[in-house]
Amino acid sequence: SEGPIRGEAFATLENLKSVNIGDNIYDWAGDEASTVPPEFVALPSLTFLQMTNMRFLDPTTEPKDQYNMTLSFIEGMNSLDTAWLDNTRLEGTLPALPASLNSFSLLGCGIWGGLLSLTTGAARLNKAWLNGNQLTGTVPSNLGARMDCSTELPCLLYLEGNQLTGPMPPGLCSNHIDNFESLGGDLAQCDGSCCTCLEFDCGNFSPNEGFPVFPPPPPAGFAFCFSGSSLVEVQGKGAIKMEDLVLGDAVQVSTDKYEPIYSFGHKSVKSSAIFLQIATEGSRPPLEISPDHMVGIEGGNYIPASLVKKGDRLLTASENQLAVVTSIKPVVRNGVFAPFTVSGTLVVNGIVASNYIAYQGSEYLKIGKIETPLSYQWVAHTFNSVHRLAVSLEIGGETYTAEGVSQWVDVPHQMMTWVLEQHTLLSAILIGLALAVVSVARLVEMIIMAHPTTTIVGILIGLGMALHRLNRMKPI
C-alpha cells in the first residue's frame, strides 16, 4: 500500500466484521491517533483484525525511517474478538485489552514489560501467543484464573522466547490439567513445571533461525523530564542546552519572565528514556518531553504530553501566540533533565511546559473512578511547596538517587503511586490529609513571597523571644 491508513475509508462501514490489512507498508500519519485512525478503531461491528507483517514508515525523513507503533489503539476496539499482529514491529508494553477479546497473537513483535495487564484488565483470553518478545518479570499467579478456559474450549498460552523469570505459577498449572491444550515457555518457566512444550519444541519458531532479536527497551524506572539537547533561554547567557543548566540559572518561564532554578527533579547524563517528540508549526525545534510530563495548552491548562494530539495548540514564550502541533512520535534519548522553578513552569524550545508530571494519564486527579476538579498542575505545585520552602529557608540540600531523581521527588512519588493504588475511601482520606498539611506550607510560602523582609524579621523576633523565655525558665 502507499500512504497512511485512511480513516475516511472506514467511516461508513458500521457492519464491517473482518479486516485483514497485513503484509503492507503504511506511512506514519503524524501521531499515533492518526496512524491507526479513530474511524478504524471505532468500527462497531469489527470482530476479526489481522495486522501481521506490517511496517510503518516516517514520510518526513529521507530515506523513510521505520516508525514503531504501540498497542494503545487496541484499547478502544470494544467489539474485537480476534486480533493477530504477528511480526509487526511494535514497541511499548501490553495495554489494557478490551473485554470482548478472546484470541490475541503478538508473535515476534518486540513489546516489553510485564504480564500484569492480562490479570487487571477486563479481557479474559482463551488463546494468547505472546512469544518471541521482550517480556520480563514473572508469570502472574492469577493468570490461569483470568483466562477463559474449559474442557470444552481449552486454552492456548505461549510465552517462550521472552525474558521471563521463575516457574509457571501453581494456579496456572492446576488450571492446566484439564483446561489447557498448549502451554509453552522457556526453561525458567517449564523446568519441573506443567508446560506442554519447551522453547523451539512449541513449533512457533525455527531453531535454525532462533528467536527474534530486538534493540533493548529503555531502562524501566521513573522518568519525568526533557531531553538533554532541549533548549532553554537563560538570562544573560542566551539559549542553553538542558544538559548544561546549573542551579541558580535564571531561566525563562513565560513571556519576558525569568526565574532561578532552585532544584532538579531529575538530572542524569547517563540515563535514557522514551520522549514524545512534539513538532509544531514554525521554525522552533520539536519539544522532547516524557509522556507523563505536562505541557501548557490553549486556555492555560496543563495536560500530560501523552494527551496532546495533532492539531492541538500549545502555549509559547510569545504572548498571545500559540503553536499548532503538526506531528508526535516517540524517540529514545540519552540524558534526562527536569529543572524546577518557583512558578512551576519552564519555556523549553519555545513551548511553555510544566515542572511536573500527571499520574493516571489525566489532567485531573482521579480517586477511584471519580475525577476530582483538582488539576495535577495545582496538586503537584501545592505538594512541592514543602520543597520550595525548605530551599528558601536553606533547610536540607540536593541529593539524588542512583538514577538521578531528587530525593525530594523520589519519596513523594513512591508514596503517591502507592496511595493511588489503594481502595477509593483510603485514597481519599490519605490525599485529603496530605493536602491539608502541604496547604499550610503553601500558605507560609505565599506569605514569605509577598512580604519576605517582614516575614524574616518576624521569624527572627519569634526565635529570639522563644530563646529568651527558655533562658528565664532555667533553674537558678
Side-chain angles (χ1 to χ4, degrees):
S1 179
E2 292 185 4
I5 300 174
R6 302 192 182 280
E8 60 269 24
F10 298 93
T12 60
L13 302 179
E14 294 88 355
N15 298 317
L16 185 65
K17 295 184 177 181
S18 178
V19 170
N20 181 353
I21 54 175
D23 298 301
N24 278 303
I25 297 175
Y26 293 97
D27 280 348
W28 169 66
D31 61 10
E32 292 223 348
S34 303
T35 302
V36 181
E39 297 89 345
F40 182 83
V41 172
L43 287 170
S45 303
L46 189 67
T47 59
F48 177 85
L49 173 64
Q50 185 163 345
M51 297 175 67
T52 56
N53 299 303
M54 284 177 55
R55 294 292 181 270
F56 290 94
L57 300 180
D58 183 352
T60 65
T61 60
E62 186 60 45
K64 293 182 179 181
D65 294 333
Q66 181 166 308
Y67 173 78
N68 298 329
M69 287 285 298
T70 70
L71 274 168
S72 58
F73 69 89
I74 207 168
E75 296 182 49
M77 305 187 79
N78 296 318
S79 62
L80 205 58
D81 174 82
T82 301
W84 296 343
L85 295 95
D86 299 346
N87 300 312
T88 292
R89 183 69 174 91
L90 302 169
E91 66 178 27
T93 59
L94 284 169
L97 301 175
S100 60
L101 196 61
N102 174 67
S103 178
F104 187 45
S105 188
L106 292 178
L107 187 146
C109 293
I111 58 167
W112 59 73
L115 297 170
L116 188 62
S117 63
L118 297 183
T119 65
T120 57
R124 300 198 64 187
L125 298 175
N126 177 260
K127 298 177 177 61
W129 291 262
L130 303 176
N131 37 349
N133 288 290
Q134 301 183 87
L135 296 171
T136 54
T138 59
V139 181
S141 59
N142 59 339
L143 180 57
R146 288 293 304 165
M147 294 190 71
D148 187 15
C149 309
S150 66
T151 53
E152 293 79 19
L153 192 64
C155 282
L156 302 175
L157 177 61
Y158 292 106
L159 299 173
E160 72 275 10
N162 284 293
Q163 300 164 28
L164 297 167
T165 58
M168 295 291 184
L172 188 61
C173 287
S174 62
N175 196 16
H176 154 264
I177 296 174
D178 297 315
N179 298 334
F180 269 84
E181 179 181 333
S182 295
L183 181 61
D186 295 322
L187 186 62
Q189 290 80 60
C190 298
D191 189 19
S193 187
C194 55
C195 297
T196 62
C197 62
L198 173 66
E199 297 178 345
F200 297 109
D201 292 338
C202 295
N204 295 305
F205 293 96
S206 165
N208 296 324
E209 297 179 1
F211 291 116
V213 177
F214 302 100
F222 175 41
F224 71 105
C225 43
F226 305 95
S227 64
S229 60
S230 299
L231 296 176
V232 177
E233 193 71 23
V234 178
Q235 196 169 35
K237 296 182 180 179
I240 300 294
K241 286 185 177 180
M242 189 76 68
E243 62 191 10
D244 295 326
L245 294 175
V246 296
L247 291 177
D249 277 344
V251 296
Q252 188 175 17
V253 297
S254 62
T255 306
D256 298 327
K257 184 178 180 181
Y258 293 79
E259 293 175 351
I261 297 171
Y262 70 86
S263 178
F264 284 90
H266 203 167
K267 185 177 184 180
S268 175
V269 177
K270 297 180 180 179
S271 298
S272 62
I274 293 179
F275 297 92
L276 294 180
Q277 186 184 80
I278 302 176
T280 56
E281 290 180 348
S283 58
R284 66 178 62 86
L287 176 67
E288 294 184 345
I289 184 171
S290 54
D292 290 333
H293 208 117
M294 290 185 286
V295 63
I297 61 171
E298 185 177 20
N301 292 359
Y302 289 83
I303 65 173
S306 60
L307 295 184
V308 175
K309 304 183 298 298
K310 184 178 177 181
D312 283 352
R313 296 154 68 88
L314 307 183
L315 301 181
T316 74
S318 301
E319 192 172 8
N320 300 322
Q321 182 179 339
L322 299 169
V324 179
V325 175
T326 57
S327 69
I328 307 168
K329 65 179 179 181
V331 295
V332 177
R333 296 283 187 260
N334 290 322
V336 292
F337 302 87
F340 279 3
T341 62
V342 172
S343 64
T345 61
L346 181 71
V347 176
V348 183
N349 286 1
I351 302 297
V352 179
S354 170
N355 289 178
Y356 313 118
I357 65 168
Y359 295 81
Q360 305 168 307
S362 171
E363 179 183 351
Y364 295 97
L365 170 67
K366 297 177 182 177
I367 301 177
K369 296 182 179 180
I370 302 171
E371 184 174 270
T372 73
L374 304 178
S375 73
Y376 267 114
Q377 178 68 12
W378 182 87
V379 170
H381 197 60
T382 301
F383 269 83
N384 215 46
S385 59
V386 177
H387 186 187
R388 293 191 300 272
L389 193 58
V391 171
S392 66
L393 298 176
E394 299 184 359
I395 300 172
E398 287 292 301
T399 58
Y400 299 89
T401 67
E403 293 77 29
V405 180
S406 169
Q407 297 287 2
W408 285 99
V409 172
D410 186 56
V411 174
H413 164 69
Q414 294 183 43
M415 293 173 63
M416 187 66 170
T417 302
W418 181 84
V419 167
L420 292 175
E421 292 173 348
Q422 305 312 303
H423 186 275
T424 301
L425 180 59
L426 179 58
S427 291
I429 293 172
L430 293 175
I431 291 172
L433 290 173
L435 282 173
V437 172
V438 297
S439 293
V440 174
R442 177 62 176 146
L443 179 61
V444 173
E445 180 193 24
M446 291 170 67
I447 293 172
I448 291 175
M449 290 177 66
H451 307 284
T453 304
T454 305
T455 304
I456 292 171
V457 171
I459 291 173
L460 292 174
I461 292 173
L463 288 173
M465 292 177 65
L467 289 172
H468 179 68
R469 179 169 294 184
L470 284 172
N471 287 330
R472 291 187 62 184
M473 291 175 61
K474 288 181 180 179
I476 299 175

